[in-house]
Amino acid sequence: MAKRKVKGNPNATITMPIVNPGAAGIDIGSRSHFVCVSQDNVKEFKSFTSGLHEIAEHLLYYEIKTIALESTGFYWQQLFVLLQSYGFEVILVNARHVKNVKGHKTDVVDSKWLQLLHSIGLLSNSFQPDFFTKELRQYVRHRKSLIETGSMYIAKMNKSLVLMNIQLKTVLRDLTGESGLKVIEAIVKGVRDPDVLEPLVGKRVKASRQDIKDALNGDWRGEHLFELSQNYSFYQFTREKIKETDNR
């Protein structure tokens, strides 16, 4: 049976039946993890790979069968997989669902709270997708991050152009469409003449050819051209990485 003191009455306790004998609770951290195998047995382990194996051996020694981990950031993932490989039942708990009573919170207190709740069966396992779904989700998230990075460089390229009064965005809907990239690439390679740049813009663009020439006539500044060249290279790099990700 598990006992818990009643707040406001130090002499009173609540007795609750043990549902999960051999339950442990682990408070996850970036540098170390606190492992509670009973309310009077909490030990700290480093988050290095060797430390994760030490945790597993520690749990085996105390004949732990089931373990509750708090889903703190992404630091839980390696320990979760490793403990499963050792044959433990591991449940992942949403941190918002295991908030302790008010008071000073420490890693030791949190691990003991997890162990107590798990031992009396009050914790529910968060949904865990299968391996294929996890892998696919990681690629999708990485691809999204690359797209966001590319968008940042598009904005930087447009800023460099505007600072030189090259109003390409006023005549093109998409700066990184076929016409826009041809013009930017030519500028990066040293072309400055609007009469040479204008034919690079496709005939399907609605703006008049004269407006396109006027938009490409600006104040060419070395520092802005340098930034444009750098950001164009970074943008092309992200495009290549997106293609590599798509081919995984």
Side-chain angles (χ1 to χ4, degrees):
M1 303 291 283
K3 294 183 178 181
R4 183 77 177 174
K5 290 185 177 181
V6 177
K7 185 178 179 181
N9 188 350
N11 297 319
T13 59
I14 298 175
T15 302
M16 295 161 283
I18 298 296
V19 177
N20 295 316
I26 302 179
D27 183 71
I28 302 295
S30 60
R31 295 177 178 271
S32 61
H33 307 315
F34 287 79
V35 180
C36 176
V37 296
S38 68
Q39 290 298 293
D40 58 356
N41 189 336
V42 179
K43 187 175 180 180
E44 180 183 8
F45 295 86
K46 297 295 184 182
S47 59
F48 303 132
T49 301
S50 58
L52 303 187
H53 285 281
E54 289 174 7
I55 290 174
E57 296 295 338
H58 179 72
L59 295 169
L60 287 172
Y61 177 81
Y62 284 98
E63 299 182 346
I64 296 299
K65 305 298 182 184
T66 179
I67 305 153
L69 300 183
E70 189 175 347
S71 57
T72 304
F74 51 82
Y75 299 111
W76 58 270
Q77 295 186 20
Q78 285 300 315
L79 180 58
F80 185 93
V81 173
L82 184 138
L83 291 177
Q84 283 188 325
S85 71
Y86 270 79
F88 294 107
E89 176 193 54
V90 188
I91 70 168
L92 184 66
V93 185
N94 190 315
R96 290 176 294 181
H97 298 165
V98 291
K99 285 187 176 179
N100 202 348
V101 291
K102 292 182 179 180
H104 181 60
K105 286 173 60 66
T106 66
D107 297 321
V108 172
V109 170
D110 285 348
S111 65
K112 292 174 70 173
W113 182 242
L114 277 170
Q115 192 274 338
L116 175 64
L117 292 179
H118 191 29
S119 65
I120 59 179
L122 293 183
L123 298 180
S124 57
N125 194 9
S126 298
F127 169 73
Q128 284 294 300
D130 57 53
F131 178 79
F132 173 78
T133 304
K134 285 182 179 180
E135 185 179 31
L136 179 60
R137 183 171 62 182
Q138 193 64 36
Y139 285 128
V140 170
R141 287 175 175 173
H142 178 61
R143 189 181 191 278
K144 180 183 177 183
S145 176
L146 289 173
I147 292 173
E148 291 172 350
T149 301
S151 297
M152 177 184 68
Y153 290 125
I154 293 171
K156 287 178 177 289
M157 286 191 292
N158 184 56
K159 179 181 177 181
S160 296
L161 291 170
V162 171
L163 288 173
M164 294 184 292
N165 206 32
I166 304 300
Q167 300 293 337
L168 191 58
K169 200 73 169 63
T170 63
V171 294
L172 294 179
R173 183 177 300 177
D174 183 6
L175 195 64
T176 56
E178 183 179 357
S179 295
L181 288 178
K182 283 183 178 180
V183 171
I184 293 174
E185 184 177 4
I187 292 173
V188 167
K189 289 181 177 179
V191 179
R192 305 287 181 265
D193 188 349
D195 291 328
V196 178
L197 293 172
E198 179 269 326
L200 299 176
V201 178
K203 300 298 183 182
R204 297 175 63 182
V205 174
K206 293 182 179 180
S208 69
R209 307 318 290 185
Q210 186 58 50
D211 283 347
I212 294 171
K213 284 185 181 181
D214 290 340
L216 294 171
N217 185 17
D219 178 22
W220 305 103
R221 299 282 298 274
E223 67 274 24
H224 299 318
L225 287 167
F226 176 76
E227 283 186 273
L228 177 65
S229 176
Q230 292 267 295
N231 289 314
Y232 176 71
S233 297
F234 291 143
Y235 172 71
Q236 293 290 50
F237 177 79
T238 58
R239 289 182 71 191
E240 291 175 6
K241 295 308 169 186
I242 290 172
K243 289 179 182 178
E244 289 179 14
T245 304
D246 290 341
N247 291 330
R248 293 294 296 178

